[in-house]
């Protein structure tokens, strides 16, 4: 793979980001339906500049987004994150690069805690998060009924040093 650039999203990235979003979410890794059914929906949910994107040869490979935990000011040092990498670019360091840049961004913003949720069925993502230093803080047993079975929901967090 050629050199991967990590930068903030642009308007030109939106079709590629939307295409990845439509490809990656399944009942194996998401408890609900895809939120963005159209490119316009996606652009509303993730305005230009609100995500870090991984790009190689002008092709979007993945993204990572973060949100503060509203509405409490006491949670202002915590970000809730989401990450997605195109199946064609997985296991090539894209996710690691995105996560590394997110951690740098969090440090610049004075963030202390990064957290996320992941389904027990998403074993590849759980392994990735463990490699990135995330720790399981809780398990909501049988939280969702997906594809005919109950699925646990894991809460993970990374504390900035």
């Amino acid at each position: 793979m050629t050199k991967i650039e990590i930068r903030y999203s642009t308007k030109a990235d939106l079709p590629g980001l939307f295409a990845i979003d439509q490809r990656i979410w399944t009942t194996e890794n998401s408890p609900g339906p895809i939120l963005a059914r159209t490119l316009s929906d996606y652009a509303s949910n993730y305005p230009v500049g609100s995500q870090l994107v991984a790009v190689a040869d002008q092709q979007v490979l993945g993204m990572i987004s973060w949100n503060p935990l509203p509405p409490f000011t006491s949670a202002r040092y915590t970000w809730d994150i989401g990450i997605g990498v195109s199946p064609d670019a997985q296991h090539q360091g894209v996710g690691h690069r995105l996560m590394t840049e997110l951690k740098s961004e969090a440090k610049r913003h004075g963030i202390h805690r990064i957290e996320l949720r992941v389904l027990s069925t998403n074993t590849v993502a759980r392994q990735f998060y463990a490699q990135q230093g995330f720790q399981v803080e809780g398990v909501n047993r049988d939280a969702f009924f997906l594809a005919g079975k109950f699925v646990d929901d894991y809460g993970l967090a990374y504390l900035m040093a």
Side-chain angles (χ1 to χ4, degrees), residues 3-148:
K3 185 175 187 249
I4 298 170
E5 176 189 6
I6 307 294
R7 58 169 171 70
Y8 280 95
S9 63
T10 67
K11 187 174 182 177
D13 297 327
L14 290 174
L17 292 167
F18 176 65
I20 291 170
D21 193 65
Q22 297 298 297
R23 278 185 76 191
I24 62 174
W25 301 118
T26 69
T27 56
E28 290 294 310
N29 60 25
S30 178
I34 296 172
L35 295 177
R37 292 287 181 196
T38 66
L39 180 57
S40 178
D41 289 344
Y42 189 88
S44 292
N45 293 340
Y46 302 101
V48 168
S50 68
Q51 297 177 303
L52 290 174
V53 296
V55 180
D57 293 330
Q58 300 179 358
Q59 180 182 359
V60 177
L61 305 175
M63 75 293 261
I64 194 164
S65 59
W66 59 95
N67 298 297
L69 292 178
F72 307 112
T73 58
S74 58
R76 67 186 172 275
Y77 300 107
T78 300
W79 278 352
D80 179 54
I81 68 165
I83 186 171
V85 175
S86 169
D88 302 328
Q90 291 178 5
H91 308 289
Q92 297 177 36
V94 174
H96 174 75
R97 293 279 314 278
L98 285 164
M99 193 65 77
T100 298
E101 188 60 32
L102 175 89
K103 289 174 183 176
S104 294
E105 196 68 17
K107 188 173 185 175
R108 283 192 288 277
H109 284 86
I111 298 302
H112 174 70
R113 175 186 170 88
I114 301 169
E115 63 182 38
L116 59 89
R117 304 200 73 75
V118 63
L119 297 180
S120 59
T121 51
N122 196 350
T123 54
V124 172
R126 288 176 43 219
Q127 181 181 19
F128 169 75
Y129 296 133
Q131 291 169 349
Q132 300 305 310
F134 283 78
Q135 295 184 3
V136 174
E137 293 189 329
V139 179
N140 295 325
R141 295 176 298 134
D142 291 351
F144 301 104
F145 189 74
L146 299 169

